[in-house]
Amino acid sequence: MRYDVLRNYKRPVTGDGRYAAGRDYISPTLANVTLNALECDLLAHLEERFGRTKTKKLKVNVVRYADDFVITGDSKETLANVVRPWIEAFLAVRGLQLSEEKTRITHIDVGFDFLGWNFRKYSGKLLIKPSKKNVQTFYRKVSVSVSETISGNKTVRQEELIDLLNPMLRGWAQ
């Protein structure tokens, strides 16, 4: 394995020149540096195109965590015809592109998953709950451990069993 040096940071590279996934510890930091101007530049672009008052009415907001982000807006048309092309151009300049399988434009009443959580409005009320994929992964991982804990402690009192199960459940809830 050889290393490319990027301003004193070493990035593992495989033999074919691609960066080694899972071993690139600096990647969240680089993603933050690369995408740092995303929100400010997007709002500046919208203000230049529509003016400050109209931009505020569009309610375009960016939520970002490392290389994942969500952009909300007042209308699907604005997001599809103005914001998405600008984001694609912004990323292309930096050598990045949107992931087609993770990118979609949807109404908040339909909901979306972000960082393992599902965001959706039910009857006008926003509810944030663990995503189905996250819950299924938890059930698969914990079902064996919970069933072993329960079956291995059949004679203990209920409070003691709850004390044994709580750390598993608490770890997932956080």
Side-chain angles (χ1 to χ4, degrees):
M1 182 184 301
R2 75 181 198 1
Y3 284 84
D4 282 355
V5 177
L6 179 67
R7 296 194 187 213
N8 300 327
Y9 294 111
K10 291 186 177 180
R11 299 185 71 197
V13 177
T14 60
D16 60 0
R18 292 180 296 136
Y19 290 108
R23 294 177 289 201
D24 190 1
Y25 303 108
I26 199 67
S27 151
T29 305
L30 290 175
N32 276 323
V33 169
T34 303
L35 297 175
N36 200 31
L38 178 72
E39 184 174 10
C40 293
D41 289 357
L42 174 60
L43 293 177
H45 167 73
L46 293 173
E47 283 184 14
E48 184 180 298
R49 182 167 177 172
F50 298 111
R52 181 169 288 181
T53 307
K54 172 85 171 167
T55 298
K56 286 183 181 182
K57 289 180 183 176
L58 293 175
K59 299 180 183 177
V60 174
N61 294 294
V62 178
V63 177
R64 184 171 56 86
Y65 182 82
D67 63 344
D68 292 326
F69 57 88
V70 171
I71 299 176
T72 62
D74 197 34
S75 75
K76 184 175 185 175
E77 293 76 26
T78 302
L79 293 173
N81 300 328
V82 178
V83 174
R84 184 172 179 162
W86 185 88
I87 293 291
E88 288 170 346
F90 176 88
L91 294 175
V93 168
R94 289 150 180 84
L96 301 170
Q97 62 184 5
L98 287 175
S99 166
E100 289 303 319
E101 64 269 359
K102 291 173 72 175
T103 303
R104 65 189 182 116
I105 297 175
T106 183
H107 196 277
I108 191 68
D109 290 341
V110 175
F112 62 92
D113 289 347
F114 182 60
L115 300 175
W117 295 91
N118 179 267
F119 296 79
R120 183 173 175 189
K121 269 193 176 180
Y122 295 90
S123 303
K125 189 172 195 171
L126 178 66
L127 292 179
I128 303 170
K129 56 187 184 178
S131 68
K132 287 182 182 180
K133 182 180 175 185
N134 197 8
V135 171
Q136 289 171 348
T137 302
F138 169 74
Y139 284 150
R140 266 188 251 113
K141 188 166 74 174
V142 173
S143 66
V144 173
S145 142
V146 168
S147 63
E148 286 175 359
T149 303
I150 292 172
S151 63
N153 294 290
K154 291 189 181 221
T155 59
V156 300
R157 294 183 4 204
Q158 182 179 3
E159 291 121 19
E160 293 172 11
L161 184 59
I162 290 171
D163 288 341
L164 291 171
L165 293 173
N166 268 342
M168 293 178 223
L169 302 174
R170 192 176 304 117
W172 175 68
Q174 294 176 356

